Amino acid sequence: MSFISARSLLAAAMLVGTGLSSAQANNLFKCTDARGQVVYSDRACASEAPTPSAAATASGKNAASFSNAAVKGKITEAAIAAILRQAIDLGTRGDYKGQCALAAPDIAFSITDNSTKPPGTMAGKRKELCELQRASAQTMASNGLRASVQQSGVQIKINADGTQATAKHTHTHTTTAKEDREVVMVQTCQQEDAFGIYDGKILYNSVRSVCKQIS
């Protein structure tokens, strides 16, 4: 895998890595950590019954049920969970146009790649992000590669008036060859996303991701 291809694949982490796989999303649990903060995870809560969260249920069972519309002008945890799930679905399918549609007009992004020395950084606005997503999807397709994502959990916070939200998460990307399923590259990223309301829709307005190749 060339350095250019690796960087292109890291670009996929922007919105691919913000959600859960379909199987994980249907078993997303809403828990409270030791500090009293709400945490979303694919694992059952330590002290609660393993009941799927309202966020996972409200997000629907497939991409067709997805909606990123604000509810009465406010962002909800369920809406953010649905957007995170849709982002992963779009990324794994290589739908870069759908990924781009989730980005706000004023979005700012940055990816720091600690796999290289010195670390490399990609940053920009919506135009650059959409181009990276397109290049990443085309690189994956032309090289016969498939991406999968695993997350340890998601922390979602909504501001007091419901007009802004953030989501923090750690995720691992595994890139495999479609034909023989050989693992080509494994990356792990720590990411923070911010969301706002634009013409009634909830869109990403900031994405910051720090990634490294682990194999």
Side-chain angles (χ1 to χ4, degrees):
M1 181 70 61
S2 70
F3 173 69
I4 293 177
S5 295
R7 288 287 294 274
S8 182
L9 291 175
L10 274 171
M14 289 305 302
L15 295 184
V16 169
T18 57
L20 298 169
S21 66
S22 297
Q24 290 171 312
N26 287 330
N27 293 284
L28 188 64
F29 302 97
K30 182 178 180 181
C31 309
T32 302
D33 64 14
R35 296 173 296 178
Q37 295 182 324
V38 173
V39 177
Y40 289 88
S41 175
D42 58 333
R43 296 181 180 181
C45 308
S47 59
E48 299 177 23
T51 302
S53 70
T57 303
S59 67
K61 294 186 178 181
N62 54 53
S65 65
F66 169 75
S67 173
N68 63 339
V71 179
K72 296 182 179 180
K74 294 184 180 295
I75 297 174
T76 65
E77 292 179 358
I80 296 299
I83 293 173
L84 299 182
R85 179 183 174 188
Q86 178 70 354
I88 189 75
D89 180 65
L90 293 169
T92 53
R93 289 191 286 111
D95 186 349
Y96 59 88
K97 293 183 179 179
Q99 285 182 301
C100 183
L102 292 178
D106 60 348
I107 191 171
F109 78 92
S110 69
I111 304 176
T112 299
D113 177 10
N114 286 326
S115 303
T116 63
K117 293 182 180 181
T121 298
M122 294 179 287
K125 300 294 185 179
R126 190 176 192 275
K127 179 180 178 180
E128 291 80 12
L129 173 59
C130 293
E131 174 58 26
L132 283 171
Q133 290 168 334
R134 181 193 65 78
S136 178
Q138 292 181 348
T139 297
M140 295 285 284
S142 64
N143 286 281
L145 302 175
R146 184 194 309 274
S148 61
V149 179
Q150 291 184 332
Q151 277 187 329
S152 58
V154 180
Q155 295 182 9
I156 299 173
K157 291 185 178 180
I158 312 295
N159 73 342
D161 62 8
T163 60
Q164 296 179 329
T166 60
K168 295 182 180 180
H169 43 92
T170 300
H171 45 89
T172 301
H173 302 257
T174 302
T175 303
T176 58
K178 290 182 179 179
E179 286 190 7
D180 57 16
R181 298 184 180 181
E182 179 184 358
V183 175
V184 176
M185 182 167 59
V186 181
Q187 303 155 296
T188 184
C189 301
Q190 293 184 326
Q191 188 162 308
E192 181 174 352
D193 309 308
F195 304 83
I197 300 175
Y198 298 80
D199 294 327
K201 290 186 176 181
I202 304 169
L203 302 175
Y204 288 85
N205 57 28
S206 176
V207 180
R208 292 184 297 172
S209 191
V210 178
C211 302
K212 64 180 180 180
Q213 184 175 335
I214 58 178
S215 68

